[in-house]
Amino acid sequence: MNLHHHDAIALSRRNLLRSTVLLGAGAALGGLPWGSGRAHAAAALEAQWPRVTAMLDKFVGERKVAGMVAALGWGTAAPDYIVRGREAFDDPDAVGANSLFRAYSQTKPVTGMAAMMLIDEGKLKLDQPIADFVPEFANMKVAIDPKVSLDARPAKTQITVRHLLTHTAGLGYAGVGRNKVNDELLRLGVTPAVLSRTSIPGISPPVKTLPPNEFLKVAATVPLVAEPGTAWRYSMSLDVLGLVIERASGAKSFAEFMQERMFDPIGMTSSYFQVPQSEQHRLTGNYGLLAGLPLPIDPAGNSAYFDPPAFAFGGAGLVCTPADYDKFLMMIANGGMAGNKRVMSAAAVALGCTDLIPAGIDLKGTFVEGAGHGAGGRVGKGADAGTFGWAGAAGTVGFVNTRIGLRAGVYVQYMPSEALSIQKDFPGAVLGDLASRRGAM
């Protein structure tokens, strides 16, 4: 049983409706009373989102998950929430907008947009070699056949910032898929993720992650799984990028940069790389599904997220609330504005939501087949243009459609994410409800 990342967002063409439908729905719904009439709001809201509501009822009602929160919003309006269940099966507290969830790879778009800030300011360049900041990466090697051995040849191309943003750097990912490179990263402690304080049956014992400078030095000694710029390979690239951001910005740490440049300006007051013990009452429990039964792997009362991480993992380290992540999505939807405060330039946001994958890469069979990849998230193409988002290893999903200002997220905690169909079903439920409402008007 693999409880590591399988967290590509299911915003595929078959789940997204054509832009004309979305645009029509957005215009038609612009005057709906989002956030008003709270006495009857829950019933009215659920009537507006019957497919989303039914999805939450199904998974919580069948006790596959302890609780779920759906966050749905337009433009600059506050989101509405549909909630079901509790923060954990043994927790009397109802789950809600201010419950804390492990975002895992939903951290990636946040890190990606942080990099866009520095690109906009000229402190990073999109096609700049990362060896300018991490000299150890100047002479990488590429595994000849990573499924067989670590035998390698010199890389022909330098890894760039673009490559890190789009998973085209050729880096491996400890514990994700089986090959000699990923196994070696795991063995060496190049493991940018937190799972549990305790050993879990069927899962390799946790390996202590190396501190940031050593992490980079050791990572550079392990061969790549592909030549940089030639293939899409899901990887630890956003974790490496977080450390590049730290060095390029001159911040004391990546966590400090994110707090000062992203979290504080947006108003993300409940976003952490280490959860304060004082917030334990809001932390949800994380479960592993074994033969369909949820078993605790990171309980709120004894969570690994209370421990200081080796460093802030830019690809998988964030714990936040549905309310906070919605603020991030709102900032993207509104061209870099958070209320009356400019967090990013509109140009930086637009570039981050653009397909940045180098030309000529075959995406068939990847998480982003039929789409593109921007600043740490999947971007829609053609009829799906305007979508940007990603998902997390514990079942969460967050996306925005910048063309109409729609943002949506679902928050839940179970692993592996593919054990249930939540990530596949949620985008389709959201957009199906929009289409039904449009048809009724």
Side-chain angles (χ1 to χ4, degrees), residues 124-172:
L124 282 178
K125 296 180 178 65
L126 192 57
D127 293 305
Q128 182 175 14
I130 65 168
D132 288 354
F133 304 97
V134 189
E136 295 89 346
F137 278 79
N139 299 295
M140 296 299 292
K141 293 185 177 181
V142 181
I144 296 168
D145 186 349
K147 293 182 180 179
V148 174
S149 74
L150 294 175
D151 292 344
R153 59 164 178 81
K156 302 173 184 177
T157 308
Q158 290 283 307
I159 296 173
T160 67
V161 174
R162 179 191 299 271
H163 296 152
L164 294 182
L165 286 165
T166 60
H167 296 292
T168 57
L171 291 166

Side-chain angles (χ1 to χ4, degrees), residues 166-237:
T166 60
H167 296 292
T168 57
L171 291 166
Y173 213 165
V176 181
R178 295 308 304 271
N179 62 55
K180 299 299 182 181
V181 169
N182 291 348
D183 290 349
E184 182 70 354
L185 291 170
L186 183 64
R187 184 184 73 82
L188 293 172
V190 186
T191 53
V194 170
L195 184 62
S196 177
R197 280 178 169 173
T198 59
S199 296
I200 302 167
I203 304 297
S204 301
V207 179
K208 186 177 181 180
T209 305
L210 297 171
N213 291 339
E214 190 175 355
F215 180 97
L216 292 172
K217 288 179 182 178
V218 174
T221 69
V222 180
L224 304 172
V225 296
E227 180 71 32
T230 66
W232 195 95
R233 297 287 185 269
Y234 199 49
S235 73
M236 63 177 177
S237 63

Side-chain angles (χ1 to χ4, degrees), residues 286-341:
N286 193 18
Y287 294 85
L289 291 179
L290 183 62
L293 297 175
L295 302 174
I297 56 176
D298 191 47
N302 188 32
S303 175
Y305 280 92
F306 297 132
D307 302 328
F311 57 94
F313 304 136
L318 193 60
V319 175
C320 63
T321 63
D324 265 21
Y325 206 87
D326 179 77
K327 290 176 184 177
F328 168 72
L329 296 177
M330 185 188 292
M331 186 272 291
I332 300 301
N334 291 287
M337 295 294 292
N340 60 3
K341 186 178 299 183

Side-chain angles (χ1 to χ4, degrees), residues 245-421:
I245 289 170
E246 176 182 310
R247 294 184 178 189
S249 68
K252 292 181 181 177
S253 67
F254 175 60
E256 179 189 71
F257 178 88
M258 295 301 286
Q259 192 68 48
E260 293 182 357
R261 296 294 306 275
M262 186 77 75
F263 301 157
D264 287 346
I266 294 176
M268 297 171 68
T269 57
S270 295
S271 295
Y272 310 106
F273 291 103
Q274 179 186 1
V275 177
Q277 193 71 44
S278 62
E279 303 306 311
Q280 185 225 314
H281 64 286
R282 292 197 286 152
L283 183 62
T284 53
N286 193 18
Y287 294 85
L289 291 179
L290 183 62
L293 297 175
L295 302 174
I297 56 176
D298 191 47
N302 188 32
S303 175
Y305 280 92
F306 297 132
D307 302 328
F311 57 94
F313 304 136
L318 193 60
V319 175
C320 63
T321 63
D324 265 21
Y325 206 87
D326 179 77
K327 290 176 184 177
F328 168 72
L329 296 177
M330 185 188 292
M331 186 272 291
I332 300 301
N334 291 287
M337 295 294 292
N340 60 3
K341 186 178 299 183
R342 179 156 293 284
V343 180
M344 299 176 60
S345 74
V349 172
L351 183 61
C353 294
T354 301
D355 182 17
L356 300 175
I357 294 177
I361 292 181
D362 183 5
L363 298 176
K364 187 175 181 179
T366 71
F367 295 160
V368 292
E369 181 177 354
H373 206 285
R378 183 189 189 278
V379 298
K381 285 186 171 183
D384 302 339
T387 57
F388 174 78
W390 203 245
T396 59
V397 176
F399 68 92
V400 61
N401 187 304
T402 57
R403 296 180 69 178
I404 62 172
L406 168 70
R407 56 189 197 276
V410 69
Y411 302 88
V412 63
Q413 301 280 259
Y414 71 93
M415 301 177 87
S417 60
E418 65 268 28
L420 300 174
S421 60

